[in-house]
Amino acid sequence: MSAVTLARPWLTFDLGREMQVLSWAINRPGFVMARRILWREVRNADLPQGMDVRQWFKGELHARGEDGCVAFLTSRDVTCYTQSTVTTEGVTAESVATVGLSNAERVGSRVERQMPDWGTINIAVRLSCGLSQTALIEAISIAAQARTAAIIEAGLALPTGLATGTGTDCIAVAAPKGTEEYAGLHTSIGAALGAAVYDATTRGAQEWKSDVGSRQKAGTGYAGS
């Protein structure tokens, strides 16, 4: 059984056993084997200009004995994480997400910013079925589709159009090793994965809009971005 543990500034998603994970996370990106996926909440003061962020983060993880985990950095308040589990035709997908939109972008364009906004959408997904590496690549594309659909429907307007994500999003998909070669939208894998990510991201975006977004409009700061 997987479990999510919150101990701010850390959020831990225990996959239940070692699995193959595909991501572009700051710690252990690419195809790796890992038991846990972690989030580390940071503020601008934690990362002064000129710092080697990767080395600092490796040190933080080493101090926790988590060198082997896949890990994200986020400025979103990790207590605001959302979680969704969907089962389709025997395939279960569990998604955990933190959604911050203060550095939202529309794909194909960039907004000029006057201050460091690091909102970040970080999504981790655990699948119950064994996948080949090919299927895992397809699975992460489905997760990205679901993220994008949820953010478009959140309706965050930018000068360049509706936001489709942020400039620092990251996704990690975990699954047992297996022989399944496909995880597209027509499959039970894609259906469960897409629904879980869409639901977790939608609820995270709604919470951000009602919380942080309202404070930004009022000019009261960017805490918990």
Side-chain angles (χ1 to χ4, degrees):
M1 295 294 291
S2 59
V4 177
T5 304
L6 176 65
R8 195 177 185 191
W10 296 94
L11 179 67
T12 302
F13 184 11
D14 190 325
L15 303 173
R17 62 186 173 101
E18 191 171 75
M19 293 186 177
Q20 58 177 342
V21 182
L22 175 60
S23 78
W24 59 94
I26 188 170
N27 193 68
R28 301 198 69 217
F31 287 99
V32 300
M33 297 296 294
R35 167 71 187 252
R36 284 175 290 278
I37 300 172
L38 269 63
W39 286 248
R40 171 56 155 90
E41 180 185 337
V42 293
R43 301 265 70 85
N44 288 341
D46 296 320
L47 307 175
Q49 191 170 6
M51 172 187 277
D52 186 331
V53 175
R54 285 183 182 274
Q55 286 304 116
W56 170 82
F57 196 27
K58 284 181 182 294
E60 291 282 294
L61 291 165
H62 182 71
R64 290 179 60 86
E66 292 286 7
D67 306 76
C69 75
V70 172
F72 306 126
L73 284 176
T74 181
S75 67
R76 183 63 169 131
D77 180 344
V78 291
T79 66
C80 298
Y81 77 91
T82 53
Q83 189 171 1
S84 181
T85 302
V86 175
T87 299
T88 303
E89 297 171 358
V91 175
T92 298
E94 184 173 5
S95 179
V96 180
T98 54
V99 181
L101 295 170
S102 60
N103 67 328
E105 295 282 11
R106 180 174 178 81
V107 66
S109 57
R110 291 184 291 180
V111 175
E112 293 296 325
R113 300 182 184 277
Q114 300 302 312
M115 63 174 292
D117 300 331
W118 307 112
T120 310
I121 300 169
N122 287 312
I123 299 167
V125 189
R126 176 191 184 274
L127 292 167
S128 63
C129 59
L131 301 183
S132 66
Q133 285 195 344
T134 301
L136 198 56
I137 293 170
E138 186 169 26
I140 206 169
S141 80
I142 301 301
Q145 272 193 69
R147 179 277 322 271
T148 302
I151 298 306
I152 290 173
E153 291 175 15
L156 183 63
L158 302 171
T160 52
L162 290 179
T164 60
T166 83
T168 49
D169 290 357
C170 191
I171 299 171
V173 179
K177 284 188 174 182
T179 58
E180 179 58 56
E181 295 288 342
Y182 301 102
L185 294 177
H186 291 314
T187 69
S188 55
I189 299 166
L193 167 63
V197 172
Y198 175 83
D199 178 61
T201 308
T202 294
R203 288 188 286 111
Q206 290 170 345
E207 184 171 336
W208 182 89
K209 286 184 69 178
S210 64
D211 179 16
V212 177
S214 63
R215 292 205 301 272
Q216 286 187 356
K217 288 181 180 179
T220 56
Y222 287 75
S225 62

